[in-house]
Amino acid sequence: MQNRRWIQTILTGAALLAGASCHMSSRDDPNRPLTARVRANDPSAARQLAAGFYGVEDHAWRWTAGKFAVLLPVNDKARSNGATLNLKLTFPAAEMSQLGSTTLSADVNGTALPPQTFSRSGDYTYSQDIPAAALTGSTIRVNFALSKSEPPSGQDQRELGAIVHEINLKTK
């Protein structure tokens, strides 16, 4: 519990006011094309963060819930050759000491990607190839799920999964 309080102290006031979900800002242009590289610190990225993301913290990253999803555009070359999904994330030491190891799984249009287990705190990149057959349409939804997350506690009523910095889809 003491570690949880430490995490809460590093959260910014804006994060506490962000609420449990992201909503499109009136500053976002709904006609702006989706980008294959989504930076968590970009407020305009919120429209691509389909579920389970909280507000930008420290102008650099966002916490996720245990389940989260992102929308990414797919070009013709990716539909023919496939692509590689990269998720840059962090597991803080205080969280890992509470939870132990956690496994991240993902799926794209019903195609499961190989899971990855994280046993230590630190910065990681979850990187998996996506077959061309899973890249139908002009946009995909990538669903992520963590096997463990911190439940809401005290003043912070968010479920905390991982810290995400960037998500990108690279065409092969």
Side-chain angles (χ1 to χ4, degrees), residues 36 73-79 81-84 135 169-172:
V74 178
N75 62 34
D76 290 338
K77 188 174 178 185
R79 281 191 290 278
N81 300 334
T84 302
L135 299 172
L169 188 66
K170 292 187 179 181
T171 301
K172 290 186 180 182

Side-chain angles (χ1 to χ4, degrees), residues 8-168:
Q8 288 174 345
T9 62
I10 65 168
L11 298 175
T12 64
L16 294 174
L17 297 174
S21 64
C22 295
H23 299 285
M24 192 164 92
S25 165
S26 60
R27 291 175 284 160
D28 288 337
D29 178 1
N31 298 317
R32 181 178 168 216
L34 299 180
T35 62
R37 182 179 182 191
V38 178
R39 292 182 177 160
N41 66 343
D42 181 358
S44 69
R47 66 191 194 93
Q48 287 186 246
L49 305 176
F53 284 88
Y54 301 106
V56 176
E57 296 191 34
D58 293 334
H59 307 286
W61 47 270
R62 294 174 189 256
W63 273 107
T64 70
K67 292 182 179 180
F68 54 104
V70 65
L71 302 173
L72 297 168
V74 178
N75 62 34
D76 290 338
K77 188 174 178 185
R79 281 191 290 278
S80 297
N81 300 334
T84 302
L85 173 70
N86 296 296
L87 169 68
K88 294 180 181 181
L89 68 163
T90 299
F91 291 99
E95 182 183 28
M96 291 304 277
S97 70
Q98 291 285 330
L99 299 176
S101 66
T102 187
T103 300
L104 175 68
S105 57
D107 75 79
V108 176
N109 291 337
T111 300
L113 303 179
Q116 184 173 345
T117 300
F118 304 92
S119 300
R120 297 187 176 159
S121 62
D123 297 328
Y124 295 95
T125 299
Y126 172 81
S127 183
Q128 297 296 334
D129 288 335
I130 303 173
L135 299 172
T136 59
S138 60
T139 303
I140 57 168
R141 178 181 168 124
V142 183
N143 297 302
F144 296 96
L146 292 162
S147 62
K148 297 178 187 173
S149 58
E150 271 198 73
S153 170
Q155 291 180 340
D156 190 353
Q157 290 300 300
R158 301 175 300 168
E159 170 193 19
L160 300 180
I163 291 173
V164 169
H165 304 277
E166 182 180 304
I167 305 162
N168 67 62

